[in-house]
Amino acid sequence: KYNYDDGLIVRTGYSYTYNSAGQALMNNAIIGNSYSIRFNFESAGNLLYAFARMTNMKKNEDGEYSLLSIPFAQYVKGDFDFAKNIVIDNRNSIAFHVGAGIAVPYGNATIVPFEKRYFSGGANSVRGWSVRSLGPGGYKGSSDGQMDFIKQSGDIKLDLNVEYRTHLFWKLNGAAFIDAGNIWTIRSDSEQEDGVFKFNKFYKQIAVAYGLGIRFDLDYLILRFDGGMKAINPMETGKGRYPITRPRFSRDFAFHFAVGYPF
């Protein structure tokens, strides 16, 4: 229900991005070893909450302070991304990526707004799953076995990727990759069973995928086509947890089209 209610987000944030490539870029290709760092931090609702407390603002039926009858969100969120590219020769390179994030609601909110929550799967995440179809944790879907992308969001995210990139011919490049990651919730929720983050359990819920990709380098942009297969599926149990041993194309394959590199 919260995902469809009106909400007010008044936030402030800071973003920092650094790329060491510098002059090592030529026609969208990195011709030397490089790395990039991205850090984002944002906070929302603190000034409104202080104002509401000082003015003894009345709460609505859900126990939230509201401005013009619209409850405001209050949370803190931080993201970190690190990517490194190691050049082997003028045709081959290996890229590594680590991405993590956490969003914590407090004060006037019990959940982070849907558009500020994390999702997993898709062209820039674990590519064995389509976008917003992985997690949280070991969440297996509703009682009828159907997945629900509204519920497949979380407060914590982890992405781990390694990709081998090679120039094939003309403007065509190829890639082979391995992805791992998932999302989790901070608080236990009966509608997201097995989705809460636990230190003694989260590593068992990390999904793994592998696949191949084709990239068209058009100088001014890169068109990317990736095909991923599930290797370890934390949303299944028993033999179904390891589709890498018994792959099934119709069940385990996901195709992605994107512009630009995933990291």
Side-chain angles (χ1 to χ4, degrees):
K1 176 178 178 296
Y2 183 84
N3 293 320
Y4 295 98
D5 287 342
D6 291 336
L8 182 65
I9 303 175
V10 181
R11 69 181 183 92
T12 183
Y14 173 81
S15 296
Y16 173 82
T17 302
Y18 175 78
N19 193 323
S20 71
Q23 299 301 315
L25 285 170
M26 180 179 293
N27 293 332
N28 289 327
I30 298 176
I31 60 176
N33 293 347
S34 65
Y35 68 92
S36 65
I37 297 173
R38 182 180 62 84
F39 172 76
N40 289 315
F41 174 83
E42 66 179 76
S43 179
N46 295 325
L47 292 178
L48 288 179
Y49 187 79
F51 175 77
R53 292 291 299 270
M54 288 188 298
T55 58
N56 292 319
M57 185 184 293
K58 291 185 179 180
K59 295 183 177 181
N60 61 19
E61 59 184 11
D62 294 320
E64 301 168 312
Y65 291 118
S66 302
L67 189 64
L68 301 177
S69 300
I70 302 177
F72 57 86
Q74 191 172 11
Y75 64 89
V76 62
K77 180 179 180 181
D79 309 285
F80 175 80
D81 271 85
F82 174 81
K84 183 172 180 62
N85 188 79
I86 300 175
V87 174
I88 300 174
D89 54 39
N90 62 349
R91 297 178 64 91
N92 302 281
S93 65
I94 297 178
F96 302 90
H97 170 252
V98 177
I102 183 170
V104 182
Y106 62 97
N108 203 50
T110 57
I111 187 171
V112 177
F114 176 71
E115 63 270 29
K116 295 296 181 179
R117 303 189 89 195
Y118 298 104
F119 64 88
S120 193
N124 299 318
S125 184
V126 187
R127 284 167 279 185
W129 281 259
S130 56
V131 64
R132 295 183 182 271
S133 66
L134 173 59
Y139 174 66
K140 299 176 178 61
S142 57
S143 57
D144 59 2
Q146 297 297 314
M147 306 306 293
D148 186 345
F149 83 95
I150 290 292
K151 298 176 183 177
Q152 291 187 269
S153 58
D155 310 303
I156 299 172
K157 181 176 182 177
L158 176 66
D159 273 328
L160 305 169
N161 315 84
V162 59
E163 186 170 281
Y164 168 72
R165 298 168 180 171
T166 184
H167 177 69
L168 300 176
F169 59 90
W170 187 51
K171 294 183 179 293
L172 199 63
N173 298 320
F177 58 83
I178 298 175
D179 301 328
N182 205 335
I183 54 172
W184 294 268
T185 60
I186 289 178
R187 297 185 176 93
S188 181
D189 188 336
S190 60
E191 294 190 358
Q192 294 176 306
E193 187 176 357
D194 205 24
V196 69
F197 180 90
K198 295 181 179 179
F199 280 103
N200 63 346
K201 191 176 183 179
F202 84 94
Y203 60 91
K204 300 177 183 178
Q205 297 173 330
I206 293 178
V208 180
Y210 61 96
L212 300 173
I214 294 292
R215 291 85 193 274
F216 290 91
D217 186 348
L218 304 179
D219 294 338
Y220 55 91
L221 62 83
I222 294 174
L223 300 181
R224 174 163 57 94
F225 302 88
D226 288 335
M229 289 286 289
K230 298 177 179 65
I232 300 177
N233 188 352
M235 300 152 72
E236 298 292 341
T237 57
K239 295 181 179 179
R241 182 179 177 84
Y242 303 98
I244 190 173
T245 61
R246 298 182 180 182
R248 188 192 309 166
F249 191 84
S250 60
R251 177 195 63 188
D252 303 323
F253 179 78
F255 175 77
H256 307 281
F257 166 73
V259 175
Y261 285 112
F263 49 86

